């Protein structure tokens, strides 16, 4: 089974509107971390936001917020007031707490977001 | 404070040649991770190293691929006798401490794009 699933290969959003990028995860561990990264056309990976499995409140970082629904195992990224510079690939990732796998991040296949002027 | 540095940014090799990819972690970081991103896919973990030690190489192909992180100098990902299927983006990430801190993100370099002709 896939550890991270992103079901939206591509999304479009009007400038200044909000957009939600979906992410579901699969783990049997109770302790894990969820991350979102942005990859613009230049190719670098930019860390956006983090949510811990024990965090009771949804994480927020500026215009980014993470809609964390633990029972549904979802960690959707919400971008408010979209800007043209938000056009990029967005990757959801998970790090498990197990000592045997805690070294690595599991990444989804990404969602390509295009912001329309 | 310089981020994770990778070079070269682009590398072209003919089938059968060797590819050497270099990664200098962020200052103060002694943990290095290599990931591979095939076209249209997310990043896949390859190997985790500390200085002079390979900690987890569960994602490395068994043949032709090797990695090292010497006491002095950058981490090297080496691919011998490259084939067309090795064409991908190879990302290096670093972190300051060991992988049991869930909140701790990994900081990614800009990647090396390898093209095998």
């Amino acid at each position: 089974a896939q550890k991270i699933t992103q079901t939206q290969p591509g999304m479009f959003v009007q400038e200044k509107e909000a957009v939600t990028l979906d992410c579901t995860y699969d783990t049997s561990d109770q302790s894990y971390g969820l991350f979102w990264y942005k990859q613009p056309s230049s190719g670098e990976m930019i860390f956006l936001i983090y949510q811990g499995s024990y965090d009771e409140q949804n994480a927020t970082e500026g215009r980014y917020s993470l809609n964390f629904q633990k029972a549904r195992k979802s960690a959707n990224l919400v971008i408010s007031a979209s800007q043209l510079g938000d056009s990029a690939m967005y990757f959801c990732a998970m790090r498990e707490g197990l000592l045997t796998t805690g070294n690595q991040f599991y990444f989804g296949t990404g969602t390509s977001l295009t912001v329309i002027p | 404070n310089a981020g994770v540095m990778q070079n070269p940014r682009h590398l072209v090799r003919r089938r059968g040649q060797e590819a050497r990819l270099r990664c200098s972690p962020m200052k103060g970081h002694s943990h290095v991770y290599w990931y591979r991103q095939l076209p249209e896919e997310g990043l896949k973990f390859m190997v985790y190293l500390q200085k002079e030690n390979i900690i987890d190489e569960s994602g490395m192909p068994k043949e032709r691929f090797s990695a090292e992180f010497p006491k002095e100098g950058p981490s090297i990902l080496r691919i011998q006798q490259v084939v067309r299927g090795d064409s991908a983006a190879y990302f290096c990430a670093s972190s300051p401490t060991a992988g049991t801190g869930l909140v701790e993100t990994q900081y990614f370099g800009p990647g090396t794009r390898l093209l095998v002709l």
Side-chain angles (χ1 to χ4, degrees), chain A residues 34-38 46-52 55 57-67 76-81 83 86 90, chain B residues 103 105 107:
Chain A
L34 298 156
F35 302 78
W36 277 91
Y37 285 86
K38 173 184 178 181
I46 302 167
F47 167 69
L48 295 178
I49 195 167
Y50 163 83
Q51 179 85 42
D55 294 341
Q57 293 199 342
N58 288 341
T60 59
E61 287 287 346
R63 294 185 299 110
Y64 303 109
S65 61
L66 202 152
N67 184 1
N76 298 340
L77 177 70
V78 180
I79 305 175
S80 62
Q83 301 172 357
D86 294 335
Y90 288 81
Chain B
V103 68
T105 189
Y107 297 87

Side-chain angles (χ1 to χ4, degrees), chain A residues 31-33 35 37 39 42-45 47 50 91 95-97 99-100 102-105 107-109, chain B residues 9 33 35 37 40-43 45 48 56 58 91 99-106 108-110 113:
Chain A
S31 180
Y32 50 89
F35 302 78
Y37 285 86
Q39 187 178 44
S42 52
E44 71 268 33
M45 295 288 286
F47 167 69
Y50 163 83
F91 290 97
R95 185 180 208 172
E96 292 175 315
L99 289 178
T100 53
N103 301 316
Q104 61 176 283
F105 278 25
F107 283 84
T109 51
Chain B
R9 294 292 303 274
Y33 313 80
Y35 292 81
Q37 184 181 30
E40 311 298 324
E41 293 187 14
L43 281 67
F45 170 79
Y48 160 45
D56 180 356
S58 58
F91 286 89
T100 53
L102 283 175
V103 68
E104 198 168 278
T105 189
Q106 294 177 1
F108 284 83
R113 270 85 188 156

Side-chain angles (χ1 to χ4, degrees), chain B residues 26-92:
Chain B
M26 286 180 71
K27 188 176 181 180
H29 288 193
S30 57
H31 301 259
V32 166
Y33 313 80
W34 285 94
Y35 292 81
R36 176 164 64 177
Q37 184 181 30
L38 295 170
E40 311 298 324
E41 293 187 14
L43 281 67
K44 296 275 196 304
F45 170 79
M46 298 180 75
V47 62
Y48 160 45
L49 310 102
Q50 295 176 19
K51 288 281 188 183
E52 299 183 283
N53 281 306
I54 297 174
I55 308 301
D56 180 356
E57 56 182 349
S58 58
M60 283 275 268
K62 293 288 184 275
E63 297 177 351
R64 302 188 297 108
F65 285 73
S66 62
E68 63 177 13
F69 189 16
K71 188 176 180 181
E72 301 290 338
S75 175
I76 306 285
L77 179 67
R78 182 181 177 207
I79 312 172
Q80 295 178 291
Q81 298 175 315
V82 295
V83 301
R84 288 215 174 112
D86 295 333
S87 295
Y90 292 83
F91 286 89
C92 169

Side-chain angles (χ1 to χ4, degrees), chain A residues 9-51:
Chain A
M11 290 280 287
F12 292 87
V13 64
Q14 203 75 37
E15 194 177 6
K16 299 180 185 175
E17 297 289 315
V19 63
T20 298
L21 306 184
D22 294 342
C23 172
T24 57
Y25 59 92
D26 181 32
T27 181
S28 57
D29 199 15
Q30 296 300 310
S31 180
Y32 50 89
L34 298 156
F35 302 78
W36 277 91
Y37 285 86
K38 173 184 178 181
Q39 187 178 44
S41 57
S42 52
E44 71 268 33
M45 295 288 286
I46 302 167
F47 167 69
L48 295 178
I49 195 167
Y50 163 83
Q51 179 85 42

